[in-house]
């Protein structure tokens, strides 16, 4: 399962990208607004693109098909490798269909059910983004819905890739991998939590202490 970072924070993206285990970035209007409300969206997106180079999903804010297509055209003019993030609404499906006809990659977002996912796939989505945390917020087991979708994808051999999004903690990352999601897009803080283990820190400290002890003994022996 590939890991993307779900943020618009340049410092976090720079650090995550430097560690070598991230292959893409997803953003949305809320993530962009959280960083700096006065940010120039085009400039920020291009900065992110330069930093990561891999997958970058950029979300449209129009809610009608024509508006979404116009925005997609503009985003593609910034950098042609962009994946256009489209909300899972009827007009979004029509926009997805048209973009797929033009071979422009799309990421259908705000997907909460397998029937929505099916519709997005059939409209030609390249990626389908399942929101885990927000499903759990309303006491609907996200892991079960994601497992169900992944099973349907396997049965039918669908080509669109499933992204587990709205990840809130490392257990969501494990759930996504177990369900068979192709990608999990993970907030920076959760990515860093995934790397930490107290036994790693304690083990490293013990190795360093033992090495230093050995060096001190050697020094003593050599006078
Ligand atoms: O990519 C969008 C999604 O990950 C949002 O997450 O935490 O706002 O539900 P959240």
């Amino acid at each position: 399962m590939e890991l993307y970072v779900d943020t618009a924070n340049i410092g976090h993206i720079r650090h995550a990208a430097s560690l070598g285990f991230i292959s893409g970035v997803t953003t949305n209007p809320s993530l962009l607004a959280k960083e700096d409300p006065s940010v120039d969206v085009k400039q920020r997106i291009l900065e992110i693109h330069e930093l990561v180079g891999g997958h970058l999903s950029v979300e449209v804010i129009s809610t009608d098909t024509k508006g979404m297509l116009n925005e997609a055209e503009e985003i593609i003019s910034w950098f042609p490798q962009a994946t256009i993030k489209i909300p899972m609404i009827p007009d979004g499906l029509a926009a997805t269909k048209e973009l797929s006809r033009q071979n422009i990659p799309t990421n259908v977002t705000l997907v909460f059910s397998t029937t929505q996912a099916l519709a997005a796939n059939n409209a030609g989505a390249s990626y389908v983004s399942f929101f885990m945390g927000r499903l759990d917020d309303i006491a609907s087991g996200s892991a079960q819905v994601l497992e169900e979708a992944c099973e349907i994808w396997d049965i039918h051999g669908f080509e669109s890739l499933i992204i587990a999004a709205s990840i809130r903690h490392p257990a969501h990352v494990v759930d996504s991998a177990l369900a068979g999601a192709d990608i999990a897009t993970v907030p920076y803080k959760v990515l860093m939590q995934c790397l930490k283990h107290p036994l790693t820190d304690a083990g490293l400290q013990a190795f360093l202490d033992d090495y230093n002890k050995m060096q001190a003994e050697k020094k003593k022996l050599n006078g």
Side-chain angles (χ1 to χ4, degrees), residues 134-210:
R134 293 190 198 187
L135 264 186
D136 290 337
D137 288 346
I138 56 159
S140 287
S142 65
Q144 204 187 329
V145 181
L146 187 61
E147 270 168 34
E148 197 178 272
C150 290
E151 199 180 326
I152 292 170
W153 255 238
D154 282 349
I155 293 169
H156 295 279
F158 291 155
E159 281 180 11
S160 56
L161 298 179
I162 294 184
I163 301 184
S166 185
I167 299 276
R168 301 275 171 79
H169 45 67
H172 273 149
V173 178
V174 177
D175 287 345
S176 310
L178 275 175
D182 299 285
I183 297 142
T185 188
V186 185
Y188 175 80
K189 182 174 158 234
V190 180
L191 274 181
M192 293 305 123
Q193 285 174 333
C194 288
L195 304 185
K196 283 291 258 184
H197 197 290
L199 291 178
T200 305
D201 296 340
L204 178 61
Q205 194 56 54
F207 288 155
L208 296 178
D209 290 347
D210 288 341

Side-chain angles (χ1 to χ4, degrees), residues 36-216:
D36 174 8
S38 68
V39 75
D40 178 290
V41 174
K42 175 182 173 187
Q43 194 188 318
R44 174 55 54 98
I45 293 298
L46 288 177
E47 257 177 286
I48 299 174
H49 172 56
E50 257 174 46
L51 274 178
V52 176
H55 176 103
L56 175 51
S57 281
V58 186
E59 189 156 344
V60 298
I61 44 144
S62 301
T63 52
D64 63 295
T65 305
K66 195 171 179 306
M68 291 182 201
L69 293 175
N70 288 339
E71 278 187 68
E73 196 181 328
E74 192 188 340
I75 295 165
I76 292 294
S77 77
W78 301 343
F79 69 108
Q81 306 91 324
T83 294
I84 309 299
K85 213 169 173 190
I86 307 267
M88 175 54 228
I89 55 176
D91 273 54
L93 291 176
T96 301
K97 183 78 193 166
E98 175 54 24
L99 292 172
S100 129
R101 199 189 59 76
Q102 297 175 28
N103 282 322
I104 294 173
T106 50
N107 175 357
V108 175
T109 187
L110 290 165
V111 170
F112 293 91
S113 71
T114 42
T115 49
Q116 287 181 318
L118 198 55
N121 174 76
N122 290 6
S126 323
Y127 302 87
V128 178
S129 282
F130 261 97
F131 276 40
M132 303 194 74
R134 293 190 198 187
L135 264 186
D136 290 337
D137 288 346
I138 56 159
S140 287
S142 65
Q144 204 187 329
V145 181
L146 187 61
E147 270 168 34
E148 197 178 272
C150 290
E151 199 180 326
I152 292 170
W153 255 238
D154 282 349
I155 293 169
H156 295 279
F158 291 155
E159 281 180 11
S160 56
L161 298 179
I162 294 184
I163 301 184
S166 185
I167 299 276
R168 301 275 171 79
H169 45 67
H172 273 149
V173 178
V174 177
D175 287 345
S176 310
L178 275 175
D182 299 285
I183 297 142
T185 188
V186 185
Y188 175 80
K189 182 174 158 234
V190 180
L191 274 181
M192 293 305 123
Q193 285 174 333
C194 288
L195 304 185
K196 283 291 258 184
H197 197 290
L199 291 178
T200 305
D201 296 340
L204 178 61
Q205 194 56 54
F207 288 155
L208 296 178
D209 290 347
D210 288 341
Y211 180 80
N212 287 334
K213 250 186 259 166
M214 188 176 70
Q215 294 302 104

